[in-house]
Amino acid sequence: PARLPVIDAMNLPAAPPAAKDAQAPVVLQVRGLAKSFWRREGLFGRHEFKALQGLNFQLRRGHTLGVVGESGSGKTTMGLTLLRLHEPSAGEVLFDGRDLLRLDERERQAMRRRLQIVFQNPYASLNPRFTVGQALVEPMAIHGIGAGRAEREQRARGLLQRVGLDAEAFGKYPHEFSGGQRQRIGIARALALSPKLIVCDEPVSALDVSIQAQVLNLLDDLSEEFGLTYLFIAHGLNVVKHISDRVGVMYLGRLVEVASKRELYSNPLHPYTKALLSAIPVTNPALRTERILLEGDVPSPANPPKGCNFCTRCPKVMDICRTVKPDLIEAEPGRLVACHPDNALIARVAARLFLLLERRDYDALQCYRRVRAGDRAAPEELRAGLARVLGPADGAETAKGPVAVPRAIPA
């Protein structure tokens, strides 16, 4: 991504990095990850609080997956559960092919070196009794990095300089630094063990805008230099758009949409994603769109809806949404959505398909089959053919944007 403008002279503009390998090996595979907390009710009763409900996603080496959602959607709980700072209730977390949830204590200790986290609050994540040098040297000593204390201290000073801090910071305490400087120290501490994957839990949410830009540029540079893989959790949609390769949208403990950032921001499919993107402030009045206002409050994870978690606030809710929970399925190649297809659209398209069959319009039918198979070789031709299938009402809308057909439509 292009670098964000900053006022710090250390972060001069640089050429945009080369495109990342879309076929890079999968470093993190999450299957059915669930986490429940329990609260007491009465003398012997317990009530389940479902924080995570069957998460499924994967992350390729060297890529960044951004995760967005409202407060209370389970983003931070997901990051902590992946690292087993919270013990999961169910599921699998495969890191380089090994299930992190089935490691014994000794194996887990060794694996922690390859998995690190940058916490949200830079004021609470550093021990006030430790100097910066002690905070960086201690994890290296625990994991046996470096031949001795002198070598570890030299490595720690080099990390501080790499994140933009002076060598004098080595002997200072956390209270002597600003919020942005403390977050840089947190990043240096995460890098001290040479990890492969870093969970960034809202690392810039507590910082000023100019400091946010500096930290994001630093994370970009470190990703290129060390080949890091990020799971980036944030509230700011613009921040996620800048740093991420793919974006996952969470709502009430579930992923409702996962796609590349270009596809998600240009053509969101899930109603909740559309509502989130409509809330992004736009300074140019000519580019402003109608704001989608969601009614009601987010349901409690202690008592989630029986069907779709979003059915109580969705402007396009159907009867099936209130009773059947939708699975996260591939709506388009490489794009996952957890939403029931529009029954009315399915009925219209099915009727049109039968009409075209009676008319023997085999060119339009063949085009429709190519779209369903994920053919993107001739997008203009496909749009034109698909518009013929959908008819005047839906075809005009299809011609405006990317080709997208719900997979539930009969073949």
Side-chain angles (χ1 to χ4, degrees), residues 14 71 75 93 99 107 122-123 152 158 179 182 193 236 248 265 293 295 312 367 379 394 408:
S71 297
K75 304 185 301 298
V93 179
D99 190 353
E107 293 173 325
Y123 295 91
R152 295 181 189 119
R182 292 189 192 193
L193 300 180
Y265 281 82
L293 298 177
E295 299 181 356
T312 58
C367 176
D394 301 310

Side-chain angles (χ1 to χ4, degrees), residues 7-332:
I7 60 175
D8 191 339
M10 293 186 300
N11 293 282
L12 298 176
K20 296 183 180 178
D21 183 9
Q23 302 301 322
V26 174
V27 66
L28 181 68
Q29 179 84 45
V30 178
R31 300 172 183 167
L33 184 65
K35 174 60 182 175
S36 295
F37 297 95
W38 297 85
R39 67 182 183 189
R40 298 179 64 92
E41 285 193 348
L43 187 59
F44 301 105
R46 292 202 312 166
H47 192 78
E48 186 178 13
F49 185 96
K50 297 180 180 179
L52 300 177
Q53 304 177 38
L55 297 183
N56 296 279
F57 65 90
Q58 65 180 21
L59 181 55
R60 295 187 179 276
R61 190 181 307 280
H63 288 218
T64 299
L65 174 65
V67 181
V68 297
E70 295 175 273
S71 297
S73 61
K75 304 185 301 298
T76 295
T77 302
M78 176 190 66
L80 297 178
T81 305
L82 289 176
L83 301 179
R84 292 188 67 177
L85 298 178
H86 286 325
E87 285 298 326
S89 303
E92 295 180 337
V93 179
L94 302 178
F95 181 75
D96 279 345
R98 299 186 65 189
D99 190 353
L100 300 181
L101 309 186
R102 287 169 173 77
L103 302 179
D104 59 31
E105 185 60 32
R106 187 174 181 178
E107 293 173 325
R108 180 167 45 167
Q109 180 75 4
M111 188 63 71
R112 281 176 177 166
R113 176 176 173 178
R114 305 167 67 187
L115 301 162
Q116 289 294 303
I117 184 171
V118 178
F119 291 98
Q120 175 179 358
N121 189 346
Y123 295 91
S125 59
L126 297 174
N127 191 332
R129 297 178 181 271
F130 278 23
T131 64
V132 171
Q134 290 173 325
L136 297 182
V137 170
E138 184 185 46
M140 289 189 277
I142 292 174
H143 289 273
I145 297 177
R149 184 172 183 84
E151 184 176 338
R152 295 181 189 119
E153 290 184 355
Q154 181 180 4
R155 175 180 170 85
R157 294 178 189 275
L159 286 172
L160 290 176
Q161 293 180 355
R162 184 62 194 87
V163 298
L165 295 175
D166 297 331
E168 298 176 354
F170 185 87
K172 294 182 179 180
Y173 287 89
H175 71 270
E176 301 180 65
F177 297 93
S178 66
Q181 290 173 324
R182 292 189 192 193
Q183 200 62 290
R184 289 172 183 264
I185 296 170
I187 295 172
R189 182 177 60 180
L191 293 173
L193 300 180
S194 301
K196 288 187 175 182
L197 172 67
I198 297 181
V199 176
C200 300
D201 182 17
E202 302 191 33
V204 297
S205 62
L207 307 179
D208 294 334
V209 175
S210 60
I211 306 301
Q212 286 184 12
Q214 296 175 22
V215 173
L216 290 174
N217 287 338
L218 174 62
L219 291 173
D220 275 340
D221 294 341
L222 295 174
S223 176
E224 297 173 33
E225 182 175 347
F226 298 105
L228 297 174
T229 304
Y230 292 136
L231 179 66
F232 193 92
I233 299 169
H235 280 293
L237 294 169
N238 286 329
V239 170
V240 171
K241 182 179 181 180
H242 168 76
I243 198 170
S244 302
D245 302 296
R246 290 177 63 80
V247 180
V249 181
M250 285 193 70
Y251 184 82
L252 203 64
R254 299 194 72 206
L255 283 168
V256 297
E257 185 166 357
V258 181
S260 69
K261 67 177 180 181
R262 180 184 61 82
E263 292 176 332
L264 188 134
Y265 281 82
S266 63
N267 182 32
L269 297 183
H270 197 279
Y272 178 63
T273 309
K274 295 179 181 179
L276 278 183
L277 296 181
S278 73
I280 299 178
V282 179
T283 56
N284 188 347
L287 300 178
R288 290 176 185 170
T289 58
E290 183 179 356
R291 173 76 183 274
I292 300 176
L293 298 177
L294 299 178
E295 299 181 356
D297 298 325
V298 180
S300 171
N303 187 26
K306 180 181 178 181
C308 175
N309 286 347
F310 190 55
C311 68
T312 58
R313 306 174 70 195
C314 181
K316 298 182 178 180
V317 62
M318 302 180 293
D319 291 338
I320 190 175
C321 302
R322 297 185 175 92
T323 56
V324 179
K325 198 175 292 292
D327 295 324
L328 188 67
I329 62 174
E330 189 175 28
E332 297 178 10

